[in-house]
Amino acid sequence: MNSEQQTFSAGLEGVIACATRLSHVDGEAGRLIFCGHNAVNLATTRTVEEVWFLLHHGRLPDETELASFKAKIETLGALSDKEVTLARTLRAGEPLSAFRTVLSAIASARGYKPWLNRDQAVVEEEILALSALAPQIVEVIHGDRAPLSKEGNNGYAERYLWGLTGSQPNADLTRALETYLILTIDHGLNASTFAARVTASTGADVGASLTTAVGTLSGPLHGGAPGPVLDMLDAIGTPENARPWVEQELGAKRRIMGFGHRVYRTDDPRAITLRSVAEKQNGPRITLARVVEQEVLAALAAHQQQRSAEQGKQKRPLRTNVEFWTAVVLEHVGIPRELYSSTFCTSRIIGWGEHIREQLQNNKLFRPLSVYSGPPVSE
Ligand SMILES: CC(C)(COP(=O)(O)OP(=O)(O)OC[C@H]1O[C@@H](n2cnc3c(N)ncnc32)[C@H](O)[C@@H]1OP(=O)(O)O)[C@@H](O)C(=O)NCCC(=O)NCCS
């Protein structure tokens, strides 16, 4: 077959690149599954550690297993004094970039080596250890101080919030954050997870794989939208201004942050759940956010209809994605706007770690082909 006859899928849309037992995004039904469990049910009733255990072992823990897993994650999640100093030295710049740099430096300082031909159990412990460090890395980057003591803490979500706000958070705020962290813990073969698996497939060290994944989050098309969503709510200001603002943005061919998804053809279940959390919080943003969501949905539907007519093919529906209501929930919880992507990282790093583990248990180097579109051979 010559190159003109070959086709490819831009953005690998519709391409199945691996099998995973970890999660399934059912885009038609608007359902998210983690290891056979409905993610929404898990997010509203379970803790991060329970879901992490589920991803790791394929089943939920009993009480004793949970206690020992929680203790292990807390121990692994503590930076050494040397690592705190390293993190404080490298924390310059935007928090997510600092996170990426610090994570990479810690893995390197710990001497983590390419996993190929090494004892798998040791490599799996390295994955768990690096993933567990995320909350303290964000705390040190944000606070430029040693992590606070959190004696009597109730787990991963509470420790994270405590480290950022400086005191033990109340149970409602922790629950809201915990729901978010669970909902975003894994999501099929999204861009960052794919990136992590591609790097892992070369036999690279786990620090390199996780750092690759963090790198993808700097773009607002994947994981970086909640901050811009709040910027948008600020710019709109009042419910009456929502319609003209949105029309102006679409007219200027700009994307509306927090809307649209590659896989979901119906409502994103994570957005629905986080909308309920935001409704329950009933914070000062809620009225504006509700109006803006409705105005954007109406404007996007009209926009897609017009584009369908112009292009002579049906354009996909654009619905609210997880990041719109994430912004409202995280603001109410008290997380600074510049840390939204890092907060996403403290959740998704768990999924990345489990995907890397899955990749190396049954590895095949990722090496797709490309269609040549350059000039013909001239000599
Ligand atoms: C998430 C996203 C990247 C998925 O997009 P995708 O599946 O790759 O689809 P494409 O980028 O090819 O976009 C398809 C069409 O929908 C339009 N579109 C998609 N999302 C849009 C949005 N949020 N606002 C306006 N138009 C949008 C595109 O302009 C494009 O239109 P065209 O075909 O007429 O040129 C996209 O919806 C987006 O950019 N959303 C905004 C950023 C965001 O919220 N990111 C967080 C994702 S969880």
Side-chain angles (χ1 to χ4, degrees):
M1 199 187 283
N2 65 35
S3 60
E4 289 92 71
Q5 292 167 313
Q6 290 179 319
T7 55
F8 69 98
S9 174
L12 298 183
E13 184 159 8
V15 173
I16 297 172
C18 74
T20 178
R21 59 166 188 83
L22 297 167
S23 62
H24 173 55
V25 184
D26 184 342
E28 297 297 329
R31 228 159 48 125
L32 175 59
I33 306 295
F34 295 155
C35 298
H37 295 256
N38 188 317
V40 167
N41 295 344
L42 293 170
T44 47
T45 58
R46 300 288 183 163
T47 61
V48 168
E49 288 90 337
E50 282 174 293
V51 179
W52 194 339
F53 187 100
L54 171 69
L55 295 176
H56 200 72
H57 295 282
R59 62 175 176 81
L60 286 162
D62 63 26
E63 228 173 278
T64 317
E65 288 170 328
L66 179 60
S68 107
F69 190 69
K70 280 179 89 166
K72 179 173 180 173
I73 295 301
E74 184 168 3
T75 306
L76 289 174
L79 293 163
S80 69
D81 291 347
K82 266 189 174 168
E83 287 170 343
V84 170
T85 307
L86 183 65
R88 291 180 63 177
T89 313
L90 295 172
R91 69 185 271 280
E94 193 276 323
L96 186 70
S97 314
F99 183 96
R100 188 179 66 220
T101 307
V102 170
L103 185 73
S104 177
I106 289 173
S108 167
R110 287 185 178 192
Y112 291 174
K113 298 276 183 299
W115 65 264
L116 207 67
N117 301 330
R118 289 179 58 219
D119 181 344
Q120 191 124 334
V122 174
V123 178
E124 291 191 8
E125 281 301 297
E126 292 173 358
I127 296 172
L128 217 48
L130 271 191
S131 306
L133 286 177
Q136 281 211 351
I137 295 178
V138 180
E139 180 179 354
V140 173
I141 287 171
H142 177 62
D144 191 22
R145 52 163 168 72
L148 300 172
S149 154
K150 302 173 190 81
E151 207 159 315
N153 77 80
N154 291 299
Y156 194 82
E158 191 187 89
R159 283 199 301 281
Y160 181 65
L161 198 48
W162 189 330
L164 295 187
T165 58
S167 58
Q168 186 162 22
N170 76 41
D172 285 346
L173 295 179
T174 303
R175 186 64 245 173
L177 178 66
E178 190 126 40
T179 298
Y180 164 75
L181 293 175
I182 293 172
L183 283 172
T184 51
I185 213 164
D186 198 38
H187 205 235
L189 203 58
N190 57 88
S192 56
T193 302
F194 182 47
R197 288 188 80 132
V198 169
T199 300
S201 83
T202 70
D205 68 88
V206 299
S209 295
L210 290 173
T211 307
T212 304
V214 181
T216 69
L217 293 191
S218 61
L221 300 189
H222 175 50
V229 166
L230 278 196
D231 297 340
M232 166 175 79
L233 294 178
D234 283 345
I236 293 173
T238 61
E240 304 71 52
N241 196 30
R243 169 67 58 100
W245 190 92
V246 173
E247 280 173 359
Q248 177 194 308
E249 291 300 293
L250 291 178
K253 298 197 183 323
R254 283 193 283 268
R255 292 190 179 212
I256 314 293
M257 293 295 123
F259 294 85
H261 198 272
R262 172 66 66 79
V263 184
Y264 290 115
R265 293 292 168 268
T266 180
D267 291 330
D268 178 339
R270 304 166 303 169
I272 298 174
T273 308
L274 290 173
R275 187 197 292 130
S276 310
V277 173
E279 299 272 0
K280 201 169 148 205
Q281 288 175 332
N282 202 18
R285 289 273 191 194
I286 189 73
T287 308
L288 179 64
R290 266 197 218 113
V291 172
V292 169
E293 183 184 35
Q294 290 316 312
E295 292 293 354
V296 173
L297 289 174
L300 284 175
H303 179 73
Q304 290 300 81
Q305 204 175 5
Q306 191 190 334
R307 300 286 286 156
S308 301
E310 281 164 11
Q311 295 177 11
K313 60 175 183 188
Q314 195 57 38
K315 304 295 289 183
R316 71 175 62 146
L318 296 172
R319 303 279 173 79
T320 319
N321 67 44
V322 64
E323 309 219 339
F324 183 80
W325 288 103
T326 292
V328 180
V329 169
L330 293 188
E331 184 182 47
H332 190 85
V333 159
I335 296 189
R337 193 177 302 199
E338 66 276 14
L339 293 184
Y340 291 176
S341 297
S342 308
T343 303
F344 180 41
C345 242
T346 48
S347 158
R348 188 56 63 83
I349 199 168
I350 295 170
W352 295 334
E354 295 303 325
H355 273 271
I356 294 168
R357 183 166 162 252
E358 198 176 62
Q359 182 66 35
L360 56 92
Q361 284 171 350
N362 192 13
N363 191 48
K364 172 89 176 168
L365 176 72
F366 279 100
R367 204 321 182 177
L369 300 173
S370 48
V371 179
Y372 179 65
S373 61
V377 182
S378 59
E379 54 183 87

